């Protein structure tokens, strides 16, 4: 493995991010979200999303292949002291290699000026919840149901 992390910049990297997004959802979520939503989540749809929101993204690459990414940003005027990890996805073949932790640390570094960082995770995604807890996040008790995916999400917070 020749893993590098970098800001997403090129068209190929954006397409790689879209592929990881699509593949990760189809690998990890079939038992957790609406099958109808998953069927509608095509690679083309993920590409449209990736090209419409290319900012604040760091990709992990194995040689020239995008294998994961983290998206981050601020929560806006409502909670200006809180940053957010909007997404962190990794191809399943790289689970357990430390790449997810590298991505998380890179995202957290970008959010260094915030006293608190949050993220939302599917309530049934026990693997991800354990990973986020190892990174210092804890569930804060907030929960929401995303009707489009027919699943509950919990909010996790890291206080610095």
């Amino acid at each position: 493995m020749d893993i590098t992390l970098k800001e997403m910049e090129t068209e190929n990297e954006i397409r790689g991010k879209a592929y990881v997004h699509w593949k990760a959802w189809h690998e990890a979520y079939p038992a957790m979200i609406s099958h109808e939503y998953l069927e509608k989540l095509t690679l083309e749809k993920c590409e449209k999303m990736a090209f419409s929101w290319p900012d604040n993204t760091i990709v992990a690459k194995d040689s020239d292949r995008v294998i994961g990414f983290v998206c981050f940003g601020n929560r806006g005027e409502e909670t200006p002291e809180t940053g957010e990890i909007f997404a962190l996805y990794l191809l399943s073949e790289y689970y357990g290699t430390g790449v997810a932790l590298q991505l998380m640390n890179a995202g957290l570094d970008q959010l260094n000026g915030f006293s608190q960082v949050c993220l939302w995770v599917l309530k049934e995604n026990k693997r991800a919840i354990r990973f986020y807890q190892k990174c210092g996040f804890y569930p804060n008790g907030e929960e929401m149901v995303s009707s489009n995916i027919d699943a509950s999400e919990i909010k996790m917070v890291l206080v610095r």
Side-chain angles (χ1 to χ4, degrees), residues 29-45:
Y29 296 160
M32 296 181 214
I33 67 169
S34 156
H35 291 289
E36 292 80 18
Y37 181 85
L38 203 53
E39 285 176 9
K40 292 177 186 174
L41 186 67
T42 63
L43 180 55
E44 293 77 20
K45 187 173 184 178

Side-chain angles (χ1 to χ4, degrees), residues 3-157:
I3 307 298
T4 57
L5 270 60
K6 65 178 294 295
E7 286 186 35
M8 185 175 71
E9 297 171 306
T10 69
E11 188 172 308
N12 284 341
E13 290 168 349
I14 295 171
R15 289 189 194 286
K17 174 199 177 213
Y19 176 77
V20 170
H21 180 183
W22 173 79
K23 185 73 171 167
W25 274 64
H26 286 270
E27 288 178 336
Y29 296 160
M32 296 181 214
I33 67 169
S34 156
H35 291 289
E36 292 80 18
Y37 181 85
L38 203 53
E39 285 176 9
K40 292 177 186 174
L41 186 67
T42 63
L43 180 55
E44 293 77 20
K45 187 173 184 178
C46 290
E47 283 184 357
K48 283 183 183 178
M49 285 187 275
F51 277 99
S52 67
W53 190 31
D55 300 327
N56 297 336
T57 302
I58 294 173
V59 293
K61 297 174 78 172
D62 187 352
S63 297
D64 283 336
R65 178 183 178 214
V66 175
I67 60 161
F69 68 90
V70 62
C71 298
F72 50 87
N74 65 49
R75 296 287 301 152
E77 294 176 14
E78 188 176 305
T79 53
E81 75 287 346
T82 303
E84 183 167 357
I85 299 292
F86 296 119
L88 193 156
Y89 292 108
L90 183 68
L91 295 176
S92 63
E93 65 199 80
Y94 290 88
Y95 288 178
T97 63
V99 176
L101 182 59
Q102 290 177 39
L103 283 166
M104 176 59 81
N105 288 335
L108 291 174
D109 285 349
Q110 294 295 315
L111 299 171
N112 201 28
F114 295 96
S115 61
Q116 180 172 282
V117 178
C118 70
L119 57 82
W120 288 89
V121 60
L122 290 174
K123 188 175 183 177
E124 292 185 37
N125 195 344
K126 303 301 183 201
R127 178 186 184 92
I129 291 169
R130 283 190 308 271
F131 170 73
Y132 296 140
Q133 286 173 326
K134 287 180 184 175
C135 294
F137 288 83
Y138 63 90
N140 76 341
E142 288 185 55
E143 190 172 322
M144 71 173 168
V145 175
S146 294
S147 56
N148 60 331
I149 61 173
D150 192 28
S152 293
E153 295 180 79
I154 62 170
K155 186 175 185 179
M156 297 185 75
V157 175

